[in-house]
Amino acid sequence: MYDVTIIGAGITGTLIARELSKYQLSVAVLEKCNDVGNGTTNANSAIIHSGYDPVPGTLKAKFNVLGNPMYDQLTKELDVPFYRLGSLTVAIHDSQLPLLQELAERSKVNGVPVKLLDRGETLAMEPNINPEVKASLYAPTCGIIDPFNLTVRAMENAIDNGVKLFLSQEVIAIKKVNDHYEVQTKKGVFETKVVINAAGNYADKIAAMVEPIDWNISPRKGEYFVLDHYKAGLVNRTIFPLPSEKGKGILVSVTTSGNYIVGPSSEPIPNKDDVSTDAETLRNVRSQATDLVPFIPFNQVIRTFSGNRPSCSRHDFIIEYAKSDKQFINVAGIESPGIASSPAIAKYVVEELVKPLIELKENPSFNPNVRKVHRLYYENLEHDYTYSNEHENYSEVICSCEKVTLGEILDQLNRSCPPHSVKGVKRRTRAGFGKCQGGFCQSKIVLLLAKHYGVSPLDIPLDDEGSNILLEEVKPL
């Protein structure tokens, strides 16, 4: 029997798992997909928000403000790229100035440092912003991150410290039996003293397996453009419009890999798994983005994608015990600013909700650090040359667009939270993220995965189970 079982391996679930691994506990993480971070965590704006925007007094405001400063140490320990480039929230029209001032006042209540800039100061910072800009709000603590690799590294670190991860384990029933729960998946039953529901868009479905609930999750789909890292300087930080009832609006931002991201839209959808894109929505994204930055080179787009945010009917995070039983904890509705908030949420869940239920004894062997991840393309050339000569596999390039080497892929395959699919490799290493979108390297990655797992290339999926790329063998490999 496990002390704690976490349902969901997104950023919130994996950071809770890592936090629990600091103690002498038996912890299981159940994930319905064949990889961690395969839902909302994998498809978002990748922003660590400063915290000026959430309404004061909400859980969003509380945990955003607490979580943001935790990222410097967290990303150092987990070896994840993170840059505090700051953000500008801009007013293009005079009618928007009162709302900009309101956000500045809200930032004081939330305790977030910001500065109001006039037109000249704004254009000096970001010359490519709409020259009609009237003013902007500069938030220096805003940052950019790779949320998927943050999730992978958090899970890896948790596993290295004793947590068990079970993939492709969709939960279908939960039953209280005496003093513990039986969590039934499509593949088995897990007995556990405490359940933490961190199931993202399906958190309401999981919660309803235990008791009637008075809230629901209605996903909002956001569609994006990704531009190639063709040159630096289109924007140097994250550029926001003024927020609306739909969210923070369509942004233009640089990413940790030097690409640019434009989006998202924000529309409610009935299907929690709908991650399609459509031309009309993308045209609207493009139109609104060019109101912020007029000369976005959309001829440099290499990808469009969408992701679903778990929008809760309470319009705030839900982080609390189930009404009928404290041994079931809901961590739901973690939409924006969810990534920024997640380290603080994890700490709160463990120290304030789990601790009263289970005695927490420190794990004397806990190691907060993951093994160094070598990203040769992003490291200096001198180190590049030396390291690749000392390590033979790092001299063979698999992905020419992103300069990803065989050594980097093999390193990921030999970690405690390895990829099992082509997209799993892609998200961890960026192999397939470039202009050709895997046109040249995908076949090599399929063969590498097949060899590593000792299976046929026919059995290697593109993403989740059942998304196999190859149908049949027409001649021997």
Side-chain angles (χ1 to χ4, degrees):
M1 181 183 296
Y2 291 96
D3 292 313
V4 182
T5 294
I6 301 166
I7 302 173
I11 183 56
T12 307
T14 55
L15 281 176
I16 292 172
R18 180 179 185 259
E19 196 69 26
L20 287 168
S21 74
K22 296 177 181 179
Y23 303 96
Q24 297 180 50
L25 299 169
S26 57
V27 179
V29 178
L30 308 182
E31 169 55 48
K32 73 171 185 174
C33 298
N34 73 340
D35 204 352
V36 301
N38 230 20
T40 300
T41 299
N42 174 52
N44 56 74
S45 302
I47 307 298
I48 303 302
H49 293 284
S50 59
Y52 70 80
D53 178 48
V55 176
T58 62
L59 293 180
K60 288 183 178 182
K62 174 183 176 178
F63 289 111
N64 188 169
V65 173
L66 289 173
N68 177 286
M70 296 173 72
Y71 268 90
D72 299 285
Q73 183 64 27
L74 178 66
T75 53
K76 180 180 179 181
E77 291 173 349
L78 298 182
D79 193 22
V80 177
F82 169 62
Y83 308 106
R84 288 194 187 277
L85 301 182
S87 67
L88 289 179
T89 302
V90 300
I92 304 297
H93 311 290
D94 286 329
S95 61
Q96 297 174 321
L97 292 175
L99 180 52
L100 195 69
Q101 183 63 49
E102 180 183 324
L103 291 176
E105 294 301 319
R106 186 181 294 180
S107 71
K108 294 177 183 178
V109 180
N110 287 346
V112 176
V114 298
K115 183 180 179 181
L116 279 169
L117 305 180
D118 61 23
R119 177 179 179 276
E121 292 171 318
T122 301
L123 290 172
M125 266 194 174
E126 293 288 351
N128 291 322
I129 280 183
N130 189 333
E132 299 299 316
V133 63
K134 305 301 179 185
S136 67
L137 189 67
Y138 173 51
T141 59
C142 182
I144 58 173
I145 199 163
D146 178 344
F148 178 78
N149 271 302
L150 175 66
T151 303
V152 171
R153 296 283 89 78
M155 192 69 250
E156 176 185 323
N157 189 232
I159 293 170
D160 290 344
N161 285 295
V163 172
K164 304 295 184 184
L165 172 64
F166 298 90
L167 297 171
S168 302
Q169 296 278 351
E170 182 178 350
V171 174
I172 57 176
I174 303 174
K175 180 171 67 174
K176 187 71 180 285
V177 180
N178 298 323
D179 62 347
H180 67 278
Y181 279 98
E182 289 184 353
V183 180
Q184 184 178 352
T185 74
K186 289 185 175 180
K187 295 186 177 181
V189 176
F190 295 79
E191 293 185 324
T192 183
K193 297 174 185 176
V194 175
V195 175
I196 298 176
N197 170 21
N201 280 312
Y202 285 88
D204 54 348
K205 304 298 183 186
I206 297 297
M209 293 178 183
V210 173
E211 64 180 4
I213 58 174
D214 59 3
W215 52 273
N216 64 77
I217 301 295
S218 300
R220 299 186 74 89
K221 183 164 69 171
E223 300 186 28
Y224 295 86
F225 292 96
V226 178
L227 278 64
D228 194 21
H229 38 69
Y230 64 100
K231 68 174 182 178
L234 173 65
V235 294
N236 302 302
R237 47 191 61 78
T238 302
I239 312 300
F240 290 110
L242 286 164
S244 69
E245 69 280 355
K246 286 188 174 183
K248 292 179 174 63
I250 290 169
L251 60 81
V252 181
S253 181
V254 65
T255 70
T256 56
S257 57
N259 295 78
Y260 297 97
I261 190 169
V262 178
S265 57
S266 180
E267 299 298 334
I269 56 170
N271 182 353
K272 293 175 184 280
D273 296 318
D274 178 8
V275 290
S276 62
T277 60
D278 67 273
E280 182 179 354
T281 300
L282 289 171
R283 278 195 296 269
N284 185 50
V285 169
R286 178 171 176 164
S287 174
Q288 292 187 50
T290 51
D291 195 35
L292 290 177
V293 181
F295 302 109
I296 298 172
F298 283 98
N299 63 334
Q300 296 290 336
V301 169
I302 58 172
R303 187 79 175 180
T304 60
F305 72 94
S306 75
N308 297 334
R309 287 155 270 173
S311 184
C312 182
S313 57
R314 288 194 192 173
H315 307 291
D316 200 2
F317 298 157
I318 293 176
I319 306 171
E320 62 192 26
Y321 296 122
K323 291 180 180 179
S324 60
D325 185 12
K326 286 188 175 182
Q327 288 175 261
F328 190 93
I329 300 169
N330 288 307
V331 185
I334 312 299
E335 59 180 339
S336 181
I339 296 177
S341 304
S342 55
I345 291 173
K347 188 175 180 66
Y348 175 84
V349 168
V350 173
E351 295 184 358
E352 301 299 328
L353 299 181
V354 175
K355 188 176 181 180
L357 307 176
I358 300 177
E359 182 181 3
L360 299 184
K361 295 180 180 179
E362 288 191 8
N363 177 359
S365 61
F366 175 75
N367 179 3
N369 303 303
V370 297
R371 189 171 81 242
K372 168 73 177 173
V373 180
H374 289 283
R375 308 173 183 88
L376 265 62
Y377 184 64
Y378 299 102
E379 297 173 3
N380 66 70
L381 292 177
E382 182 179 351
H383 174 84
D384 241 10
Y385 181 79
T386 302
Y387 194 85
S388 61
N389 273 278
E390 293 176 353
H391 301 77
E392 182 180 356
N393 289 329
Y394 285 81
S395 298
E396 182 179 343
V397 173
I398 298 296
C399 173
S400 298
C401 296
E402 295 292 317
K403 308 295 188 294
V404 179
T405 65
L406 173 61
E408 290 167 85
I409 296 173
L410 293 178
D411 173 56
Q412 293 300 323
L413 286 169
N414 287 285
R415 289 174 176 265
S416 53
C417 186
H420 299 274
S421 67
V422 171
K423 283 195 174 181
V425 173
K426 177 180 179 179
R427 293 164 185 148
R428 286 167 174 79
T429 67
R430 296 194 58 76
F433 252 109
K435 283 186 176 181
C436 82
Q437 287 291 293
F440 290 95
C441 65
Q442 182 170 284
S443 58
K444 299 177 185 177
I445 293 168
V446 168
L447 294 177
L448 283 171
L449 285 165
K451 180 179 179 181
H452 178 78
Y453 288 109
V455 299
S456 165
L458 300 174
D459 297 325
I460 300 301
L462 175 66
D463 195 2
D464 214 351
E465 287 187 346
S467 61
N468 296 44
I469 301 169
L470 305 176
L471 298 178
E472 61 180 316
E473 183 178 318
V474 295
K475 63 180 180 179
L477 293 172

